[in-house]
Structure formats: structure tokens, C-alpha cells
């Protein structure tokens, strides 16, 4: 599984500082998608208002879906199509650290 994600520059930490604890996201919105540039960017833009994390599981888009999602701050993962139930479960599993998961269709 390939993973594409935005990179963030972290500010340098002082040597004596305690390691930062990772706080799990409260709400993670997850999508399964393929060739969804017509609909997905608008949905992601709306979900950014409430989500701490947005995950898109793409099954081989050829229309720029992955780049559009990345530009909006979503994490994009490639997963060849596993079937409806297994693909959606894979997306949910990627958000397992969140307190709440909202699974949406890309259309």
C-alpha cells in the first residue's frame, strides 16, 4: 500500500523538552474514492470545518482525484479495489485511532 500525505515542517524542539504526546483525532472523516474530482473536493472542503483528520482511500483514480485531495489537506492512501465492504473497512481501519469515524461516499 502506497501512502501519500502532506508533509509538515515541525519547529525544532529544545533538547530538554519532553517528547510531545500524540493526541488522537476526535473526528476522522474517511472516504473511499475512484475518479471523484467532480464531487470529492467540495465534500472535503466542507468536512475540514469539523474534522480533525480526513483520509481518502483511492482505488486507482486517473482524473487527478489524489492530487485534489492532497491539495485540500487530506491524507491519501492507495488500495486496489477489494470490494465494497472490505474497501470501506480498510478506510475505517486507517482511522482506528480517532474517537469518532464518519465514513462518507465520494459521490
Amino acid at each position: 500500500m502506497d501512502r501519500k500525505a502532506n508533509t509538515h515542517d515541525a519547529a525544532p524542539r529544545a533538547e530538554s523538552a519532553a517528547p510531545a504526546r500524540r493526541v488522537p483525532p476526535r473526528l476522522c472523516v474517511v472516504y473511499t474514492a475512484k475518479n471523484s474530482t467532480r464531487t470529492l473536493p467540495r465534500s472535503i472542503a466542507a468536512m475540514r470545518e469539523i474534522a480533525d483528520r480526513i483520509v481518502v482511500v483511492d482505488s486507482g483514480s486517473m482524473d487527478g482525484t489524489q492530487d485534489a485531495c492532497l491539495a485540500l489537506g487530506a491524507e491519501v492512501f492507495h488500495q486496489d479495489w477489494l470490494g465494497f465492504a472490505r474497501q470501506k473497512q480498510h478506510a475505517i481501519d486507517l482511522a482506528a485511532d480517532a474517537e469518532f469515524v464518519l465514513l462518507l461516499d465520494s459521490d
Side-chain angles (χ1 to χ4, degrees):
M1 171 177 61
D2 295 329
R3 177 181 177 181
K4 293 182 181 179
N6 288 330
T7 58
H8 303 282
D9 293 328
R13 279 191 297 157
E15 289 297 321
S16 61
R21 282 187 14 174
R22 184 178 175 285
V23 177
R26 184 158 169 81
L27 172 63
C28 182
V29 176
V30 296
Y31 296 90
T32 56
K34 184 172 182 181
N35 295 328
S36 300
T37 55
R38 188 177 56 80
T39 56
L40 195 52
R42 186 170 152 195
S43 181
I44 289 174
M47 289 298 104
R48 288 180 65 197
E49 302 283 326
I50 62 168
D52 299 305
R53 182 178 176 211
I54 298 174
V55 171
V56 176
V57 176
D58 186 270
S59 58
S61 292
M62 302 296 283
D63 69 345
T65 295
Q66 294 177 2
D67 291 335
C69 294
L70 288 170
L72 288 167
E75 297 175 51
V76 177
F77 297 85
H78 174 82
Q79 174 59 59
D80 291 335
W81 185 247
L82 301 170
F84 287 103
R86 289 181 59 209
Q87 193 80 357
K88 291 180 184 300
Q89 186 61 56
H90 178 70
I92 292 168
D93 291 346
L94 290 171
D97 62 337
E99 187 173 352
F100 299 98
V101 177
L102 176 60
L103 173 65
L104 298 175
D105 287 330
S106 62
D107 57 357

